[in-house]
Amino acid sequence: MVGMPENAALSVGDLVELDLTGIAHGGVGVARHEGRVVFVADAIPGERVRARITEARKKSFARAATVEVLDPSEDRRPHIWPEAGLERDPAERPGGAEFGHIALPRQRALKAEVLTDALRRFGGLGTDALRDLGGGVLQVESLPGDAEAEAPGLDGTTHTSAPGLGYRTRVRLHVDPETGEVGPYAARSRRVIRTASLPLAVEEIGWIAPLDEAISEAEAVDLVSPSADDPRMLVSYPGERRRAGADDPVRESVGGREFLVRAGGFWQVHREAPVTLFEAVRDAILELAGSDRFDPGAANLDLYGGAGLLAAAVAEAAGPGLRITTVESDPGATDDAAENLADLVGALTVTARVDRHLAELRAAAAPVRERLRRGTVVLDPPRSGAGGEVCAGLGEVAPANIVYVACDPVALARDTATLRELGYTPVSLRALDLFPHTHHFETLAVFLRD
Ligand SMILES: C[S@@+](CC[C@H](N)C(=O)[O-])C[C@H]1O[C@@H](n2cnc3c(N)ncnc32)[C@H](O)[C@@H]1O
């Protein structure tokens, strides 16, 4: 490549040597090739790699996948999923464990970098604000059982346990339309990849996963392993309105409390995620209550409430006098929430889109609006975030506090900018590694009305 002009065109299939200088949202490394940004899969910042160009349509950037590491990071590990290792052609590697070649502490450091960068660039937060929020440097916390630790073996020697594996209680696999073979998609592709194992899934999912079978005419297979119930498989067929078994109730146990959830409904994926988020939201409410900012009798809201997990967490902090309304667009999940919150006299469950519900609340009578102003909102939107319209709706309803549970750092950062414009200040932030060996993580941010 020596002597080529600046921005020389890269073509799919080209092999290039790249120095990784950073990490981008989505879990890909960042490098430059003759002025053009290249997003590189399966690399680690600081490494020099040989990579194959996989996408070169855009002028401003290209994509590549690592095929050989020339100068490895000390944090490089054998991939936790053998089929996703560098020995395979990039197009044949299953997606879904894009950090599986990185030591867990470094994975978390990279996630913290992505969060800090997003809050700075899209959230408008400066260095001081970020330091105050994270209580120093922002850290991504591991969940119980996931810290990379040396555990003493039975014979007195030490061995490294397998942290960060066997945690997913929900797994979606896809079906090859031609062969009926079942497996995950390859990264950034709709190609079904055969795999012998699912290392991120709980053991029970391994028992039932149809990895060496063919299911003709099906589209996808969801594997569900509830914490207090038998594992099950839901098969989707094209054109079908409702999957067989999707509405069957399954039992989930969260810190001794039981929740009923439809097998096909939303539930937090990591086996420790429900209890971790329950406790994180409960503690955030206790903290607000400790500074007299939480009013259990106000019109409190659990927006994007699912089966009522986080409303129950608020109730644990607030006690039996709590008034709270969960708002959720899936009617099945609302029914589950009604069941799960039945012991809470002041709980109401509503099936509605959050934007529409907020529009209705804005038009409510003055005493209701006053109760909403004194209230606390728990906000747990899907990956796209709450977005401008919902944030604007919140700005008008103007609750005293917002406890935002976010699964996408950039969406959170954008919503942070909007909420700040509407008079809210973020006062605390916790990041939780709910998805080891992937680039995903969860953030809990508390905002106070100025
Ligand atoms: C990230 S989940 C959170 C569920 C619940 N808070 C929990 O922790 O189990 C997001 C939920 O929002 C619901 N949802 C998605 N878009 C929505 C919308 N526009 N309005 C209301 N609910 C929505 C989904 O059905 C899903 O249950």
Side-chain angles (χ1 to χ4, degrees), residues 24 33 37 92 103 125 148-149 169 196 242 250 271 294 313 328 422:
H33 184 263
V37 171
E92 299 294 328
L125 298 179
E148 194 167 67
T169 64
R242 204 80 192 144
V250 297
R271 62 184 144 66
F294 180 72
E328 160 63 48
L422 292 166

Side-chain angles (χ1 to χ4, degrees), residues 266-268 277 302-310 327-330 333 352-355 380-382 407:
F266 177 87
W267 191 246
Q268 302 288 345
L277 287 177
D302 175 13
L303 302 182
Y304 307 93
L309 174 73
L310 303 184
V327 181
E328 160 63 48
S329 58
D330 173 0
R353 267 176 45 178
V354 165
D355 54 339
D380 184 9
C407 54

Side-chain angles (χ1 to χ4, degrees), residues 13 96 115 119 141 153 160 176 180 233 299-300 340 370 399 409 414:
L115 177 60
L119 289 170
E141 303 166 35
T160 305
D176 186 307
M233 179 165 104
N300 300 297
N340 293 327
E370 198 277 322
R414 292 209 168 99

Side-chain angles (χ1 to χ4, degrees), residues 219-450:
E219 244 170 14
V221 173
D222 284 295
L223 303 163
V224 179
S225 178
S227 55
D229 230 320
D230 294 331
R232 58 204 69 206
M233 179 165 104
L234 308 175
V235 182
S236 313
Y237 292 93
E240 188 188 48
R241 265 195 66 242
R242 204 80 192 144
R243 290 165 300 170
D247 288 335
D248 292 352
V250 297
R251 283 171 302 147
E252 295 283 356
S253 166
V254 182
R257 185 184 173 117
E258 193 164 282
F259 288 79
L260 278 181
V261 191
R262 261 142 240 257
F266 177 87
W267 191 246
Q268 302 288 345
V269 160
H270 190 299
R271 62 184 144 66
E272 296 290 340
V275 73
T276 302
L277 287 177
F278 183 99
E279 289 176 358
V281 168
R282 178 200 62 196
D283 293 351
I285 299 293
L286 285 173
E287 182 117 6
L288 290 168
S291 52
D292 272 343
R293 291 218 38 129
F294 180 72
D295 179 351
N300 300 297
L301 298 172
D302 175 13
L303 302 182
Y304 307 93
L309 174 73
L310 303 184
V314 179
E316 186 161 295
L322 176 70
R323 296 179 61 167
I324 192 162
T325 303
T326 70
V327 181
E328 160 63 48
S329 58
D330 173 0
T334 308
D335 287 350
D336 292 342
E339 191 84 28
N340 293 327
L341 301 171
D343 58 339
L344 200 65
V345 180
L348 204 70
T349 54
V350 172
T351 301
R353 267 176 45 178
V354 165
D355 54 339
R356 294 191 184 149
H357 189 73
L358 287 173
E360 276 176 27
L361 293 181
R362 286 202 307 260
V368 177
R369 299 215 34 187
E370 198 277 322
R371 280 203 301 277
L372 285 161
R373 264 185 78 77
R374 285 191 280 119
T376 294
V377 167
V378 176
L379 188 69
D380 184 9
R383 191 138 288 151
S384 50
E389 201 178 332
V390 166
C391 287
L394 281 172
E396 290 199 38
V397 169
N401 317 300
I402 299 173
V403 178
Y404 192 144
V405 180
C407 54
D408 185 282
V410 170
L412 169 68
R414 292 209 168 99
D415 289 339
T416 296
T418 314
L419 290 172
R420 289 175 75 220
E421 276 166 25
L422 292 166
Y424 285 87
T425 302
V427 292
S428 74
L429 198 74
R430 278 182 75 188
L432 301 161
D433 195 8
L434 297 195
F435 304 92
H437 300 295
T438 81
H439 72 278
H440 298 290
F441 59 100
E442 204 89 0
T443 309
L444 187 133
V446 178
F447 294 81
L448 307 185
R449 193 183 62 219
D450 297 340

